[in-house]
Amino acid sequence: MKTALALLLAVFSTASLAKLPPPSPEAQAKAAEAAARTAWAAKVDGYKLCQAQDKAAAAYFASARAAGKPVHASASTPPCADPGPFVYTPPEAKPLEAAGAHSPSETAKAPHNTAAPDAATPKQ
């Protein structure tokens, strides 16, 4: 029984170490759009929550005034910002040269290799 359990555990642990292929450009674009849609949905949820809080606060202050209770001025908060409809514009793909993939970050001040051994070069 223990051997079967150990064998089963070994099979599943090696399967979890398998390397997946990189996602295709279409899959990456779809994932980026899904992330943008999720961020927009979070903004819409925040907007609806803000409106509900404003409505609840207005109802509370109205009922407190009607009951004759002293009402203090409410805290000033920024107005609710409507995020508008969902609009997604995919980022423009840069060519490799414009992305800086082949260029060094700065101009070299010295050659990358020299004929002098390491012991003979001055330490900086």
Side-chain angles (χ1 to χ4, degrees), residues 41-51 80-81:
K43 289 178 185 178
V44 169
D45 290 342
Y47 175 65
K48 289 180 180 178
L49 175 64
C50 180
Q51 287 181 322
C80 301

Side-chain angles (χ1 to χ4, degrees), residues 25-26 28-34 36 86-94:
E26 293 84 19
Q28 287 177 339
K30 196 175 225 181
E33 184 175 355
F86 177 71
V87 178
Y88 177 71
T89 53
E92 192 174 312
K94 293 181 181 179

